[in-house]
Amino acid sequence: MEGIMSSNSPEIRGVIFDLDGVLTETAEYHYRGWQRLADEEGIPFDRQANEAMRGLSRRDSLLHLLDGLPRTEEQMEEMMERKNGYYLEFIKEISSGDLLPGAAELLHELRSAGIKVAIGSASKNAKDLIQRLGIADLVDAISDGYSVTRSKPAPDLFLHAAAQLGLAPAQCVVVEDAASGVEAALAAGMRAVGLGPAERVGAAHMVLPSLAGVRWEDILAKLSQPQLTPEPQMR
Ligand code: B16
Ligand code: MG
């Protein structure tokens, strides 16, 4: 599926948004939670190490942090719970003001255009965040950390979201900020918009710095091109 979309790609009918790093910036809070846990455990960790965990599930993040250090399942469960406790403290104050620039405008535009919208987030806190951000009415379906067993880069989460929208994968666009998420979108047979540096999301069909000032018609024009391929710098 990676690569060229044929000239008769189905019309785009839905957009699946990743949450952390796309609609809101909770990555910093995830980082602080993991850093505190790592410090308590005496495990070397820093911002750079955290960057490789972007978009990974809670368990995959912990495994990355442990980097082979032996821990029992019980210890791991406790560590994940502890980190999540810190994270929940950090996100307590989140409100609609924490939507990233351009996010609310794009969600409203999609509503007006009759395009269905889903959230495809690895987070088990996604529903809570969506409520706090005040965007529940602009979202038709939520697939989150409870929806599927295999997390990104497996395509399952996005396939689950498309199914909830009643759409075929090829009718969906995914907006992602993580390499693992772009990989998942391509594996699902969907068109992908990557937000951030090309070194991270360059495998996507379209790369943008952020959603600021982004209009739906611009995304549509680019992704509807007959010979759509991933961004040239990564080929
Ligand atoms: P939780 P996304 C992901 O959300 C985050 O990017 C990632 O850092 C986090 O580990 C993961 O959710 C799980 O989150 O601990 O809240 O279940 O980017 O897929 O929206
Ligand atoms: Mg993300």
Side-chain angles (χ1 to χ4, degrees):
M1 199 49 237
E2 262 180 79
I4 296 173
M5 289 270 170
S6 73
S7 53
N8 52 12
S9 292
E11 201 189 337
I12 295 168
R13 303 283 311 129
V15 180
I16 305 171
F17 288 94
D18 174 58
L19 188 56
D20 292 345
V22 170
L23 296 180
T24 189
E25 197 47 279
T26 43
E28 176 67 19
Y29 301 135
H30 280 295
Y31 162 65
R32 287 189 209 168
W34 288 122
Q35 184 69 63
R36 185 162 167 193
L37 179 86
D39 291 347
E40 286 166 354
E41 295 290 318
I43 298 170
F45 187 67
D46 58 19
R47 269 180 198 281
Q48 206 189 331
N50 181 71
E51 194 44 39
M53 285 154 51
R54 184 179 280 264
L56 296 185
S57 70
R58 198 179 302 174
R59 178 172 288 268
D60 287 343
S61 299
L62 177 62
L63 290 173
H64 192 274
L65 185 142
L66 289 173
D67 193 21
L69 286 174
R71 291 290 187 278
T72 64
E73 177 58 29
E74 201 178 304
Q75 287 171 323
M76 285 186 22
E77 291 290 343
E78 185 280 323
M79 289 166 89
M80 286 188 283
E81 213 178 298
R82 195 167 4 134
K83 180 267 171 180
N84 195 50
Y86 301 147
Y87 177 73
L88 290 178
E89 271 302 309
F90 293 137
I91 65 165
K92 253 187 188 164
E93 306 298 325
I94 281 189
S95 68
S96 56
D98 291 288
L99 280 169
L100 281 168
E105 292 84 344
L106 185 57
L107 287 171
H108 280 108
E109 228 186 310
L110 290 168
R111 248 306 172 257
S112 306
I115 302 291
K116 289 186 179 173
V117 169
I119 302 296
S121 167
S123 176
K124 291 183 169 172
N125 298 299
K127 286 193 175 127
D128 184 19
L129 271 176
I130 288 161
Q131 289 298 333
R132 286 178 196 273
L133 291 166
I135 54 170
D137 291 348
L138 298 170
V139 167
D140 300 300
I142 299 169
S143 294
D144 63 12
Y146 294 105
S147 303
V148 295
T149 314
R150 291 194 310 164
S151 51
K152 303 169 192 177
D156 305 31
L157 189 69
F158 294 138
L159 292 173
H160 185 274
Q164 283 204 83
L165 294 179
L167 298 177
Q171 293 177 297
C172 297
V173 175
V174 168
V175 186
E176 256 291 350
D177 70 307
S180 60
V182 170
E183 201 182 324
L186 298 178
M190 299 178 182
R191 281 165 270 199
V193 177
L195 301 186
E199 305 82 65
R200 193 170 81 208
V201 292
H205 297 98
M206 180 179 191
V207 173
L208 296 167
S210 73
L211 289 180
V214 172
R215 303 287 312 272
W216 173 236
E217 60 189 28
D218 300 332
I219 296 181
L220 200 54
K222 167 79 180 173
L223 294 185
S224 302
Q225 283 171 11
Q227 293 287 297
L228 185 65
T229 61
E231 289 284 299
Q233 65 270 28
M234 294 306 287
R235 279 182 283 142

PDB file of all heavy atoms in Angstrom, residues 20-47:
ATOM      1  N   ASP A  20      -2.617  13.186  20.608  1.00  0.00           N
ATOM      2  CA  ASP A  20      -1.422  13.804  21.198  1.00  0.00           C
ATOM      3  C   ASP A  20      -0.443  14.215  20.095  1.00  0.00           C
ATOM      4  O   ASP A  20       0.013  13.369  19.328  1.00  0.00           O
ATOM      5  CB  ASP A  20      -0.709  12.803  22.113  1.00  0.00           C
ATOM      6  CG  ASP A  20      -1.537  12.479  23.351  1.00  0.00           C
ATOM      7  OD1 ASP A  20      -2.483  13.227  23.629  1.00  0.00           O
ATOM      8  OD2 ASP A  20      -1.223  11.486  24.024  1.00  0.00           O
ATOM      9  N   GLY A  21      -0.142  15.494  20.019  1.00  0.00           N
ATOM     10  CA  GLY A  21       0.811  15.967  19.021  1.00  0.00           C
ATOM     11  C   GLY A  21       0.144  16.453  17.749  1.00  0.00           C
ATOM     12  O   GLY A  21       0.804  17.016  16.881  1.00  0.00           O
ATOM     13  N   VAL A  22      -1.173  16.210  17.620  1.00  0.00           N
ATOM     14  CA  VAL A  22      -1.890  16.650  16.422  1.00  0.00           C
ATOM     15  C   VAL A  22      -2.963  17.672  16.798  1.00  0.00           C
ATOM     16  O   VAL A  22      -2.989  18.788  16.274  1.00  0.00           O
ATOM     17  CB  VAL A  22      -2.518  15.453  15.674  1.00  0.00           C
ATOM     18  CG1 VAL A  22      -3.469  15.915  14.583  1.00  0.00           C
ATOM     19  CG2 VAL A  22      -1.401  14.595  15.063  1.00  0.00           C
ATOM     20  N   LEU A  23      -3.880  17.289  17.691  1.00  0.00           N
ATOM     21  CA  LEU A  23      -4.938  18.218  18.104  1.00  0.00           C
ATOM     22  C   LEU A  23      -4.553  18.958  19.380  1.00  0.00           C
ATOM     23  O   LEU A  23      -5.022  20.057  19.639  1.00  0.00           O
ATOM     24  CB  LEU A  23      -6.254  17.453  18.303  1.00  0.00           C
ATOM     25  CG  LEU A  23      -6.823  16.794  17.037  1.00  0.00           C
ATOM     26  CD1 LEU A  23      -8.126  16.062  17.358  1.00  0.00           C
ATOM     27  CD2 LEU A  23      -7.059  17.813  15.925  1.00  0.00           C
ATOM     28  N   THR A  24      -3.721  18.331  20.203  1.00  0.00           N
ATOM     29  CA  THR A  24      -3.254  18.984  21.422  1.00  0.00           C
ATOM     30  C   THR A  24      -1.841  18.503  21.730  1.00  0.00           C
ATOM     31  O   THR A  24      -1.419  17.457  21.233  1.00  0.00           O
ATOM     32  CB  THR A  24      -4.209  18.685  22.601  1.00  0.00           C
ATOM     33  OG1 THR A  24      -3.850  19.489  23.720  1.00  0.00           O
ATOM     34  CG2 THR A  24      -4.175  17.225  23.010  1.00  0.00           C
ATOM     35  N   GLU A  25      -1.120  19.288  22.535  1.00  0.00           N
ATOM     36  CA  GLU A  25       0.281  18.941  22.772  1.00  0.00           C
ATOM     37  C   GLU A  25       0.480  18.388  24.170  1.00  0.00           C
ATOM     38  O   GLU A  25       0.892  19.095  25.080  1.00  0.00           O
ATOM     39  CB  GLU A  25       1.159  20.188  22.540  1.00  0.00           C
ATOM     40  CG  GLU A  25       2.624  19.859  22.361  1.00  0.00           C
ATOM     41  CD  GLU A  25       2.873  18.708  21.381  1.00  0.00           C
ATOM     42  OE1 GLU A  25       2.733  17.552  21.805  1.00  0.00           O
ATOM     43  OE2 GLU A  25       3.194  18.979  20.228  1.00  0.00           O
ATOM     44  N   THR A  26       0.152  17.118  24.329  1.00  0.00           N
ATOM     45  CA  THR A  26       0.325  16.500  25.635  1.00  0.00           C
ATOM     46  C   THR A  26       1.647  15.747  25.728  1.00  0.00           C
ATOM     47  O   THR A  26       1.947  15.164  26.774  1.00  0.00           O
ATOM     48  CB  THR A  26      -0.838  15.529  25.933  1.00  0.00           C
ATOM     49  OG1 THR A  26      -1.075  14.785  24.751  1.00  0.00           O
ATOM     50  CG2 THR A  26      -2.088  16.262  26.336  1.00  0.00           C
ATOM     51  N   ALA A  27       2.415  15.767  24.641  1.00  0.00           N
ATOM     52  CA  ALA A  27       3.691  15.028  24.621  1.00  0.00           C
ATOM     53  C   ALA A  27       4.591  15.451  25.780  1.00  0.00           C
ATOM     54  O   ALA A  27       5.270  14.630  26.395  1.00  0.00           O
ATOM     55  CB  ALA A  27       4.396  15.248  23.294  1.00  0.00           C
ATOM     56  N   GLU A  28       4.556  16.746  26.099  1.00  0.00           N
ATOM     57  CA  GLU A  28       5.388  17.268  27.181  1.00  0.00           C
ATOM     58  C   GLU A  28       4.983  16.622  28.521  1.00  0.00           C
ATOM     59  O   GLU A  28       5.829  16.292  29.344  1.00  0.00           O
ATOM     60  CB  GLU A  28       5.249  18.800  27.253  1.00  0.00           C
ATOM     61  CG  GLU A  28       5.975  19.470  28.397  1.00  0.00           C
ATOM     62  CD  GLU A  28       7.500  19.381  28.304  1.00  0.00           C
ATOM     63  OE1 GLU A  28       8.021  19.125  27.205  1.00  0.00           O
ATOM     64  OE2 GLU A  28       8.155  19.546  29.356  1.00  0.00           O
ATOM     65  N   TYR A  29       3.677  16.434  28.705  1.00  0.00           N
ATOM     66  CA  TYR A  29       3.195  15.841  29.950  1.00  0.00           C
ATOM     67  C   TYR A  29       3.548  14.358  30.035  1.00  0.00           C
ATOM     68  O   TYR A  29       3.861  13.844  31.105  1.00  0.00           O
ATOM     69  CB  TYR A  29       1.681  16.039  30.082  1.00  0.00           C
ATOM     70  CG  TYR A  29       1.263  17.488  30.068  1.00  0.00           C
ATOM     71  CD1 TYR A  29       0.186  17.910  29.302  1.00  0.00           C
ATOM     72  CD2 TYR A  29       1.954  18.431  30.814  1.00  0.00           C
ATOM     73  CE1 TYR A  29      -0.200  19.241  29.283  1.00  0.00           C
ATOM     74  CE2 TYR A  29       1.575  19.768  30.793  1.00  0.00           C
ATOM     75  CZ  TYR A  29       0.503  20.164  30.020  1.00  0.00           C
ATOM     76  OH  TYR A  29       0.127  21.475  30.003  1.00  0.00           O
ATOM     77  N   HIS A  30       3.450  13.675  28.858  1.00  0.00           N
ATOM     78  CA  HIS A  30       3.890  12.273  28.846  1.00  0.00           C
ATOM     79  C   HIS A  30       5.368  12.220  29.222  1.00  0.00           C
ATOM     80  O   HIS A  30       5.779  11.398  30.033  1.00  0.00           O
ATOM     81  CB  HIS A  30       3.693  11.661  27.454  1.00  0.00           C
ATOM     82  CG  HIS A  30       2.282  11.242  27.168  1.00  0.00           C
ATOM     83  ND1 HIS A  30       1.652  10.241  27.867  1.00  0.00           N
ATOM     84  CD2 HIS A  30       1.387  11.683  26.252  1.00  0.00           C
ATOM     85  CE1 HIS A  30       0.420  10.083  27.389  1.00  0.00           C
ATOM     86  NE2 HIS A  30       0.238  10.951  26.419  1.00  0.00           N
ATOM     87  N   TYR A  31       6.149  13.120  28.616  1.00  0.00           N
ATOM     88  CA  TYR A  31       7.593  13.128  28.896  1.00  0.00           C
ATOM     89  C   TYR A  31       7.860  13.332  30.389  1.00  0.00           C
ATOM     90  O   TYR A  31       8.637  12.585  31.003  1.00  0.00           O
ATOM     91  CB  TYR A  31       8.297  14.219  28.073  1.00  0.00           C
ATOM     92  CG  TYR A  31       9.651  14.553  28.637  1.00  0.00           C
ATOM     93  CD1 TYR A  31      10.678  13.609  28.642  1.00  0.00           C
ATOM     94  CD2 TYR A  31       9.898  15.797  29.231  1.00  0.00           C
ATOM     95  CE1 TYR A  31      11.908  13.881  29.209  1.00  0.00           C
ATOM     96  CE2 TYR A  31      11.126  16.078  29.803  1.00  0.00           C
ATOM     97  CZ  TYR A  31      12.118  15.115  29.796  1.00  0.00           C
ATOM     98  OH  TYR A  31      13.328  15.374  30.377  1.00  0.00           O
ATOM     99  N   ARG A  32       7.209  14.328  30.971  1.00  0.00           N
ATOM    100  CA  ARG A  32       7.460  14.621  32.396  1.00  0.00           C
ATOM    101  C   ARG A  32       7.085  13.440  33.286  1.00  0.00           C
ATOM    102  O   ARG A  32       7.745  13.163  34.286  1.00  0.00           O
ATOM    103  CB  ARG A  32       6.676  15.856  32.826  1.00  0.00           C
ATOM    104  CG  ARG A  32       7.256  17.127  32.264  1.00  0.00           C
ATOM    105  CD  ARG A  32       6.585  18.324  32.904  1.00  0.00           C
ATOM    106  NE  ARG A  32       6.578  19.464  32.010  1.00  0.00           N
ATOM    107  CZ  ARG A  32       5.881  20.563  32.201  1.00  0.00           C
ATOM    108  NH1 ARG A  32       5.107  20.674  33.270  1.00  0.00           N
ATOM    109  NH2 ARG A  32       5.934  21.563  31.357  1.00  0.00           N
ATOM    110  N   GLY A  33       6.003  12.754  32.919  1.00  0.00           N
ATOM    111  CA  GLY A  33       5.583  11.578  33.686  1.00  0.00           C
ATOM    112  C   GLY A  33       6.629  10.475  33.621  1.00  0.00           C
ATOM    113  O   GLY A  33       7.013   9.894  34.648  1.00  0.00           O
ATOM    114  N   TRP A  34       7.117  10.199  32.418  1.00  0.00           N
ATOM    115  CA  TRP A  34       8.142   9.158  32.260  1.00  0.00           C
ATOM    116  C   TRP A  34       9.446   9.570  32.927  1.00  0.00           C
ATOM    117  O   TRP A  34      10.137   8.752  33.529  1.00  0.00           O
ATOM    118  CB  TRP A  34       8.381   8.861  30.778  1.00  0.00           C
ATOM    119  CG  TRP A  34       7.285   8.122  30.090  1.00  0.00           C
ATOM    120  CD1 TRP A  34       6.583   8.528  28.987  1.00  0.00           C
ATOM    121  CD2 TRP A  34       6.749   6.831  30.433  1.00  0.00           C
ATOM    122  NE1 TRP A  34       5.650   7.580  28.637  1.00  0.00           N
ATOM    123  CE2 TRP A  34       5.734   6.537  29.505  1.00  0.00           C
ATOM    124  CE3 TRP A  34       7.026   5.903  31.451  1.00  0.00           C
ATOM    125  CZ2 TRP A  34       4.992   5.349  29.549  1.00  0.00           C
ATOM    126  CZ3 TRP A  34       6.293   4.722  31.498  1.00  0.00           C
ATOM    127  CH2 TRP A  34       5.293   4.451  30.567  1.00  0.00           C
ATOM    128  N   GLN A  35       9.783  10.865  32.834  1.00  0.00           N
ATOM    129  CA  GLN A  35      11.043  11.329  33.428  1.00  0.00           C
ATOM    130  C   GLN A  35      11.011  11.149  34.942  1.00  0.00           C
ATOM    131  O   GLN A  35      11.987  10.686  35.542  1.00  0.00           O
ATOM    132  CB  GLN A  35      11.272  12.816  33.071  1.00  0.00           C
ATOM    133  CG  GLN A  35      12.606  13.364  33.563  1.00  0.00           C
ATOM    134  CD  GLN A  35      13.794  12.768  32.810  1.00  0.00           C
ATOM    135  OE1 GLN A  35      13.930  12.959  31.618  1.00  0.00           O
ATOM    136  NE2 GLN A  35      14.651  12.036  33.517  1.00  0.00           N
ATOM    137  N   ARG A  36       9.876  11.484  35.525  1.00  0.00           N
ATOM    138  CA  ARG A  36       9.759  11.356  36.986  1.00  0.00           C
ATOM    139  C   ARG A  36       9.879   9.891  37.396  1.00  0.00           C
ATOM    140  O   ARG A  36      10.588   9.552  38.356  1.00  0.00           O
ATOM    141  CB  ARG A  36       8.418  11.950  37.444  1.00  0.00           C
ATOM    142  CG  ARG A  36       8.288  11.949  38.929  1.00  0.00           C
ATOM    143  CD  ARG A  36       7.200  12.897  39.378  1.00  0.00           C
ATOM    144  NE  ARG A  36       6.897  12.645  40.777  1.00  0.00           N
ATOM    145  CZ  ARG A  36       5.845  13.130  41.398  1.00  0.00           C
ATOM    146  NH1 ARG A  36       5.000  13.897  40.768  1.00  0.00           N
ATOM    147  NH2 ARG A  36       5.635  12.859  42.664  1.00  0.00           N
ATOM    148  N   LEU A  37       9.205   9.032  36.659  1.00  0.00           N
ATOM    149  CA  LEU A  37       9.281   7.599  36.942  1.00  0.00           C
ATOM    150  C   LEU A  37      10.723   7.099  36.796  1.00  0.00           C
ATOM    151  O   LEU A  37      11.236   6.380  37.659  1.00  0.00           O
ATOM    152  CB  LEU A  37       8.366   6.833  35.984  1.00  0.00           C
ATOM    153  CG  LEU A  37       8.384   5.316  36.174  1.00  0.00           C
ATOM    154  CD1 LEU A  37       7.394   4.877  37.236  1.00  0.00           C
ATOM    155  CD2 LEU A  37       8.078   4.593  34.874  1.00  0.00           C
ATOM    156  N   ALA A  38      11.375   7.490  35.713  1.00  0.00           N
ATOM    157  CA  ALA A  38      12.750   7.050  35.462  1.00  0.00           C
ATOM    158  C   ALA A  38      13.676   7.516  36.580  1.00  0.00           C
ATOM    159  O   ALA A  38      14.523   6.754  37.062  1.00  0.00           O
ATOM    160  CB  ALA A  38      13.222   7.582  34.112  1.00  0.00           C
ATOM    161  N   ASP A  39      13.496   8.768  37.011  1.00  0.00           N
ATOM    162  CA  ASP A  39      14.333   9.310  38.099  1.00  0.00           C
ATOM    163  C   ASP A  39      14.122   8.496  39.376  1.00  0.00           C
ATOM    164  O   ASP A  39      15.082   8.165  40.073  1.00  0.00           O
ATOM    165  CB  ASP A  39      13.993  10.776  38.361  1.00  0.00           C
ATOM    166  CG  ASP A  39      14.432  11.677  37.203  1.00  0.00           C
ATOM    167  OD1 ASP A  39      15.205  11.197  36.346  1.00  0.00           O
ATOM    168  OD2 ASP A  39      13.990  12.842  37.154  1.00  0.00           O
ATOM    169  N   GLU A  40      12.858   8.197  39.667  1.00  0.00           N
ATOM    170  CA  GLU A  40      12.561   7.424  40.880  1.00  0.00           C
ATOM    171  C   GLU A  40      13.183   6.027  40.826  1.00  0.00           C
ATOM    172  O   GLU A  40      13.587   5.477  41.842  1.00  0.00           O
ATOM    173  CB  GLU A  40      11.039   7.297  41.052  1.00  0.00           C
ATOM    174  CG  GLU A  40      10.392   8.590  41.508  1.00  0.00           C
ATOM    175  CD  GLU A  40       8.865   8.577  41.342  1.00  0.00           C
ATOM    176  OE1 GLU A  40       8.335   7.617  40.770  1.00  0.00           O
ATOM    177  OE2 GLU A  40       8.228   9.527  41.775  1.00  0.00           O
ATOM    178  N   GLU A  41      13.250   5.490  39.629  1.00  0.00           N
ATOM    179  CA  GLU A  41      13.767   4.130  39.450  1.00  0.00           C
ATOM    180  C   GLU A  41      15.277   4.106  39.196  1.00  0.00           C
ATOM    181  O   GLU A  41      15.862   3.034  39.062  1.00  0.00           O
ATOM    182  CB  GLU A  41      13.052   3.459  38.263  1.00  0.00           C
ATOM    183  CG  GLU A  41      11.570   3.240  38.470  1.00  0.00           C
ATOM    184  CD  GLU A  41      11.259   2.174  39.510  1.00  0.00           C
ATOM    185  OE1 GLU A  41      11.938   1.139  39.501  1.00  0.00           O
ATOM    186  OE2 GLU A  41      10.366   2.406  40.344  1.00  0.00           O
ATOM    187  N   GLY A  42      15.875   5.301  39.067  1.00  0.00           N
ATOM    188  CA  GLY A  42      17.314   5.364  38.769  1.00  0.00           C
ATOM    189  C   GLY A  42      17.656   4.860  37.379  1.00  0.00           C
ATOM    190  O   GLY A  42      18.740   4.340  37.122  1.00  0.00           O
ATOM    191  N   ILE A  43      16.714   5.056  36.454  1.00  0.00           N
ATOM    192  CA  ILE A  43      16.944   4.613  35.068  1.00  0.00           C
ATOM    193  C   ILE A  43      17.327   5.835  34.229  1.00  0.00           C
ATOM    194  O   ILE A  43      16.640   6.858  34.268  1.00  0.00           O
ATOM    195  CB  ILE A  43      15.658   3.967  34.476  1.00  0.00           C
ATOM    196  CG1 ILE A  43      15.279   2.720  35.280  1.00  0.00           C
ATOM    197  CG2 ILE A  43      15.840   3.632  33.001  1.00  0.00           C
ATOM    198  CD1 ILE A  43      13.912   2.156  34.933  1.00  0.00           C
ATOM    199  N   PRO A  44      18.439   5.758  33.495  1.00  0.00           N
ATOM    200  CA  PRO A  44      18.834   6.907  32.671  1.00  0.00           C
ATOM    201  C   PRO A  44      17.766   7.214  31.621  1.00  0.00           C
ATOM    202  O   PRO A  44      17.310   6.307  30.929  1.00  0.00           O
ATOM    203  CB  PRO A  44      20.139   6.450  31.982  1.00  0.00           C
ATOM    204  CG  PRO A  44      20.515   5.153  32.597  1.00  0.00           C
ATOM    205  CD  PRO A  44      19.326   4.614  33.326  1.00  0.00           C
ATOM    206  N   PHE A  45      17.385   8.477  31.526  1.00  0.00           N
ATOM    207  CA  PHE A  45      16.334   8.877  30.589  1.00  0.00           C
ATOM    208  C   PHE A  45      16.435  10.375  30.379  1.00  0.00           C
ATOM    209  O   PHE A  45      16.786  11.113  31.295  1.00  0.00           O
ATOM    210  CB  PHE A  45      14.955   8.521  31.175  1.00  0.00           C
ATOM    211  CG  PHE A  45      13.795   8.737  30.233  1.00  0.00           C
ATOM    212  CD1 PHE A  45      13.657   7.958  29.100  1.00  0.00           C
ATOM    213  CD2 PHE A  45      12.843   9.725  30.477  1.00  0.00           C
ATOM    214  CE1 PHE A  45      12.586   8.146  28.228  1.00  0.00           C
ATOM    215  CE2 PHE A  45      11.767   9.921  29.617  1.00  0.00           C
ATOM    216  CZ  PHE A  45      11.647   9.116  28.490  1.00  0.00           C
ATOM    217  N   ASP A  46      16.142  10.834  29.174  1.00  0.00           N
ATOM    218  CA  ASP A  46      16.099  12.279  28.913  1.00  0.00           C
ATOM    219  C   ASP A  46      15.135  12.564  27.747  1.00  0.00           C
ATOM    220  O   ASP A  46      14.527  11.644  27.206  1.00  0.00           O
ATOM    221  CB  ASP A  46      17.499  12.836  28.625  1.00  0.00           C
ATOM    222  CG  ASP A  46      18.162  12.146  27.447  1.00  0.00           C
ATOM    223  OD1 ASP A  46      17.447  11.499  26.631  1.00  0.00           O
ATOM    224  OD2 ASP A  46      19.395  12.235  27.322  1.00  0.00           O
ATOM    225  N   ARG A  47      15.043  13.844  27.392  1.00  0.00           N
ATOM    226  CA  ARG A  47      14.126  14.262  26.329  1.00  0.00           C
ATOM    227  C   ARG A  47      14.381  13.541  25.013  1.00  0.00           C
ATOM    228  O   ARG A  47      13.464  13.190  24.287  1.00  0.00           O
ATOM    229  CB  ARG A  47      14.278  15.768  26.079  1.00  0.00           C
ATOM    230  CG  ARG A  47      13.353  16.575  26.890  1.00  0.00           C
ATOM    231  CD  ARG A  47      13.519  18.056  26.622  1.00  0.00           C
ATOM    232  NE  ARG A  47      12.919  18.783  27.716  1.00  0.00           N
ATOM    233  CZ  ARG A  47      11.609  18.980  27.838  1.00  0.00           C
ATOM    234  NH1 ARG A  47      10.779  18.570  26.918  1.00  0.00           N
ATOM    235  NH2 ARG A  47      11.126  19.619  28.891  1.00  0.00           N
TER     236      ARG A  47
END
